[in-house]
Amino acid sequence: DLGSVKSTLEEGGYADKTHEFARHVRLVFRNAMEYNQDGDAIWNSARKLLSIFEQDLPDIENGVSASTRARREEDRSTLVNVNCKACMGKH
């Protein structure tokens, strides 16, 4: 379960073992999908969280924190807004 993943992470059990961390997280979500019916709330949540995890895994592997990813998104949003104001919204 994710509690075990968290404990192992906090104890340093995944240090330099990103593949083990990823394997355990995937196992948790796949088990939730295996033991719950396709389409129910738990199954849907597990599927969505697994998808998000897979999208974020490259950043995790590269040591990019969630706060750094959030800042990147804010920076992109600000840049788009600045560009829109600069062109007077005519793009």
Side-chain angles (χ1 to χ4, degrees):
D1 63 42
L2 289 176
S4 298
V5 173
K6 180 182 178 190
S7 295
T8 303
L9 188 61
E10 290 173 344
E11 295 167 1
Y14 296 123
D16 300 322
K17 298 178 188 170
T18 307
H19 64 282
E20 282 295 312
F21 168 72
R23 187 179 68 78
H24 288 159
V25 171
R26 287 181 183 120
L27 180 64
V28 169
F29 294 132
R30 288 182 181 148
N31 281 345
M33 293 169 67
E34 177 73 23
Y35 295 104
N36 290 278
Q37 190 170 355
D38 184 347
D40 76 7
I42 293 173
W43 191 95
N44 287 336
S45 294
R47 183 172 155 239
K48 183 170 186 165
L49 290 170
L50 179 59
S51 175
I52 291 168
F53 176 75
E54 294 296 350
Q55 289 172 5
D56 288 348
L57 185 57
D59 283 343
I60 294 168
E61 291 172 329
N62 292 321
V64 178
S65 69
S67 60
T68 299
R69 287 193 304 274
R71 279 195 303 276
R72 285 181 185 167
E73 291 301 319
E74 285 178 23
D75 291 346
R76 286 184 207 132
S77 176
T78 301
L79 182 60
V80 168
N81 289 335
V82 168
N83 288 338
C84 290
K85 290 176 184 173
C87 70
M88 308 284 261
K90 298 178 183 177
H91 63 85

